[in-house]
Amino acid sequence: MDYFSVKMRSSLEENHISGHERIVKVSELENTINELFKRGSRKSFDFLNIKIEKINSPILFIKKTLKIKTLNFNNPKEANNFALNLLQKETGINLNTLQKLIKLIHTGAASGKNMRGAMIVNLKGERLEKNREKGIRTTMVDYINREKHKKKLIKKGFTERTLDALALSTKNLIYPDIVAEYCISDEPDYLTGYVATKKYYFRLTPLKEKGNLFGGRIYFVKNNTDIDKLYNYLQNTPVLIEDIEIG
Ligand code: PML
């Protein structure tokens, strides 16, 4: 069966406003384009681009996402302490180094601005991304029957952001060299973030302070990770997920 990648991005005065992508069958193209247009035009824009490309490389079909576990805390400090201890256990990186990396995400990791993509950190705590302002973006991932999964998640109190972040982190964590991920949203009122491990997607609330405009992701990778292969996988390998696992 033929699948197409559909990517939308919009901007205003060259500042990014909105971006989203899907992988769909030809029969779903028209609805998807309309949906992405609606999404991209919710806020003022002076540029909106929708790119449609047939996928020619083999698609990796994944049966289930990481298992979702939701944990609530009294404040971001408590949630981040949980995240730090979990990451320390998963990566072996000392707490002090982890704390510094996480602080960067909360305060603007690209010279005081948000990085566009994720930071890559090896198990010695060293940053490996090719460009520290841009970072790396995971793309080419979606669900089969996205609408069905979206409805299921929303009914259970999750959000569309959960749906997208869960797909992205599932693609990340099935890659053998990625050990864990840390994420907070750059949306100032979206306080739920997550730590993903090989098995779980730990949703942590609140992981950031209300009103904070900063956000981003850190991918923790093994020390001998081949960076070119990692970039190629994250950006170019199409992944379709069949089902969602709620713990
Ligand atoms: C969740 O609700 O599960 C956390 C989603 C984090 C979204 C990060 C983003 O805005 O991209």
Side-chain angles (χ1 to χ4, degrees):
M1 180 175 311
D2 288 343
Y3 282 92
F4 287 80
S5 148
V6 188
K7 291 181 175 155
M8 177 281 293
R9 68 191 173 91
S10 67
S11 57
L12 180 64
E13 288 167 9
E14 295 185 8
N15 290 315
H16 173 83
I17 297 288
S18 171
H20 197 64
E21 64 149 324
R22 301 286 316 279
I23 296 176
V24 294
K25 295 177 202 145
V26 69
S27 59
E28 298 164 312
L29 268 179
E30 196 175 332
N31 282 344
T32 306
I33 293 162
N34 286 334
E35 197 187 300
L36 292 193
F37 174 73
K38 267 194 205 147
R39 201 171 166 137
S41 56
R42 270 184 215 147
K43 294 185 183 160
S44 312
F45 67 93
D46 57 20
F47 174 90
L48 191 152
N49 176 283
I50 295 182
K51 185 165 94 179
I52 306 159
E53 268 175 314
K54 183 162 169 222
I55 296 181
N56 289 316
S57 43
I59 296 180
L60 194 55
F61 287 90
I62 308 286
K63 285 252 168 286
K64 276 194 174 211
T65 59
L66 298 170
K67 205 181 232 178
I68 307 176
K69 293 253 181 222
T70 303
L71 300 171
N72 294 304
F73 297 87
N74 290 318
N75 52 54
K77 192 168 188 304
E78 274 184 17
N80 276 291
N81 277 341
F82 176 89
L84 277 167
N85 286 316
L86 178 59
L87 287 169
Q88 207 266 326
K89 197 174 115 246
E90 297 293 323
T91 66
I93 301 173
N94 68 67
L95 284 176
N96 199 20
T97 305
L98 285 170
Q99 227 154 8
K100 284 188 187 146
L101 292 164
I102 285 174
K103 190 168 175 205
L104 267 180
I105 296 291
H106 286 255
T107 53
S111 326
K113 287 189 175 162
N114 278 323
M115 286 173 73
R116 275 189 269 155
M119 200 186 271
I120 304 176
V121 173
N122 69 13
L123 304 185
K124 292 186 246 174
E126 297 163 339
R127 287 179 65 176
L128 303 179
E129 62 274 12
K130 292 181 185 180
N131 176 321
R132 287 196 173 185
E133 304 289 307
K134 274 192 183 165
I136 169 78
R137 280 170 52 81
T138 301
T139 61
M140 299 289 271
V141 56
D142 203 351
Y143 295 94
I144 298 174
N145 282 327
R146 182 186 163 93
E147 271 312 300
K148 183 180 105 187
H149 298 310
K150 183 171 141 188
K151 279 192 190 129
K152 177 169 149 189
L153 276 192
I154 288 176
K155 207 166 152 197
K156 288 185 183 285
F158 300 99
T159 69
E160 194 165 1
R161 275 180 196 268
T162 310
L163 185 76
D164 291 328
L166 180 63
L168 184 150
S169 63
T170 299
K171 173 169 178 176
N172 291 344
L173 269 298
I174 52 164
Y175 193 72
D177 287 343
I178 299 188
V179 173
E181 179 185 346
Y182 175 93
C183 167
I184 53 166
S185 177
D186 56 10
E187 166 62 48
D189 293 330
Y190 200 89
L191 310 186
T192 303
Y194 66 86
V195 171
T197 63
K198 285 288 183 197
K199 255 188 159 167
Y200 294 105
Y201 175 90
F202 289 99
R203 294 184 82 225
L204 310 175
T205 306
L207 195 58
K208 71 176 224 170
E209 295 289 347
K210 190 168 172 54
N212 185 359
L213 294 163
F214 295 114
R217 291 181 156 85
I218 310 175
Y219 299 168
F220 293 93
V221 302
K222 290 184 183 164
N223 291 334
N224 56 0
T225 299
D226 179 323
I227 289 297
D228 289 327
K229 277 194 187 152
L230 176 71
Y231 268 65
N232 186 39
Y233 169 76
L234 295 175
Q235 293 175 329
N236 302 327
T237 300
V239 170
L240 274 176
I241 302 169
E242 291 174 27
D243 205 358
I244 285 186
E245 191 158 16
I246 303 179

